[in-house]
Amino acid sequence: MNENVKKETQRFRRGGSHLSLRDSKAVVCFAGLGPDDLPSQADSIVRGTGNAPQVLESAPKPPSDIEYLQELIAIQQNGPKNIGFFGTRNMGFLHQQLIEILSYAMVLTNNHIFTSGATGTNAAVIRGALRAERPELLTVVLPQSISKQPPESQELLKKVENVIEMPDNDELTLFEASSICNDDIISRVQQIICFAFHDSNLLLETCAQAKENKKMVTLFYLD
């Protein structure tokens, strides 16, 4: 299964102690496809990218490049885990597709995925996990009541069996509620995977908090 997953991934260059996903128009392409073959970004919010071919190819890279999924495959060495996914709402279409593939692969290898209900990273994680058709291995923890979520998120959450709401946080700011939600997810998992920009303060604080709690942290920078 891992070999099939590797074929669906793109190569990325290591940036510092973390991995950097470079948002270049030339980096990722769909082999043999034209623009009409891909769903629009608007379509992907609720319906996802399930109809799009899943094999990605990368532009030529120097031999020193690595496949970003190789590090994540190490998650499997000690068997399935509870894995928390965090990430920015501001994410390009191609990055969302890569996250869908990663989430899909994690569920297929019997990992239990925990994430929240925002657009961007969270939505991509949910779509990928749903495609694996193992609903018991996906849990979405919301920072507030489901009614407080954006309409497109509410539509996607209708497909999720395990949704945990936090109505006690409805009177808090979204930042405050999200911080509490992130702490809750950290408490439920052994590993977190995070997609952030260098100025994504809440996400970086979440990673630091996870490390303090002795969790394995894999952080991808999008800039």
Side-chain angles (χ1 to χ4, degrees), residues 3-206:
E3 290 300 319
N4 291 332
V5 173
K6 289 179 182 178
K7 291 179 182 178
E8 295 184 349
T9 62
Q10 158 193 8
R11 291 179 176 270
F12 296 100
R13 186 181 301 278
R14 182 176 298 276
S17 61
H18 305 291
L19 297 181
S20 177
L21 307 185
R22 298 193 174 187
D23 195 11
S24 169
K25 296 180 180 178
V27 170
V28 184
C29 64
F30 285 87
L33 299 178
D36 294 336
D37 296 309
L38 299 177
S40 68
Q41 185 162 359
D43 289 340
S44 75
I45 291 176
V46 174
R47 292 197 293 269
T49 58
N51 294 329
Q54 300 174 19
V55 178
L56 304 181
E57 293 185 355
S58 61
K61 295 277 188 177
S64 59
D65 285 356
I66 65 169
E67 293 180 1
Y68 83 99
L69 199 54
Q70 283 182 327
E71 290 211 355
L72 299 177
I73 296 282
I75 297 170
Q76 306 303 311
Q77 290 180 349
N78 297 317
K81 292 181 174 67
N82 290 347
I83 303 174
F85 275 82
F86 300 91
T88 177
R89 294 175 175 83
N90 303 314
M91 175 168 292
F93 177 62
L94 293 177
H95 282 154
Q96 290 186 49
Q97 288 189 311
L98 290 171
I99 292 173
E100 275 194 50
I101 292 169
L102 176 57
S103 174
Y104 174 76
M106 292 296 102
V107 173
L108 284 184
T109 49
N110 297 315
N111 294 284
H112 191 133
I113 301 301
F114 290 81
T115 194
S116 195
T119 56
T121 299
N122 296 150
V125 170
I126 294 169
R127 291 193 301 265
L130 290 173
R131 284 172 51 200
E133 298 183 344
R134 298 284 304 278
E136 73 279 8
L137 294 180
L138 171 64
T139 298
V140 176
V141 183
L142 301 178
Q144 297 169 316
S145 300
I146 194 169
S147 61
K148 302 280 285 185
Q149 307 308 306
E152 61 269 31
S153 295
Q154 293 186 40
E155 188 68 23
L156 182 60
L157 290 170
K158 291 178 181 178
K159 305 175 184 179
V160 180
E161 290 187 4
N162 304 316
V163 178
I164 298 172
E165 301 179 57
M166 294 186 175
D168 291 345
N169 296 339
D170 284 355
E171 301 305 317
L172 300 178
T173 66
L174 181 57
F175 182 91
E176 293 170 328
S178 296
S179 181
I180 294 171
C181 176
N182 290 355
D183 288 346
D184 181 87
I185 293 175
I186 289 173
S187 72
R188 298 172 185 268
V189 303
Q190 292 86 46
Q191 159 100 25
I192 76 165
I193 300 171
C194 184
F195 298 85
F197 294 100
H198 282 82
D199 60 356
S200 302
N201 294 330
L202 178 58
L203 292 172
L204 298 181
E205 289 174 8
T206 297

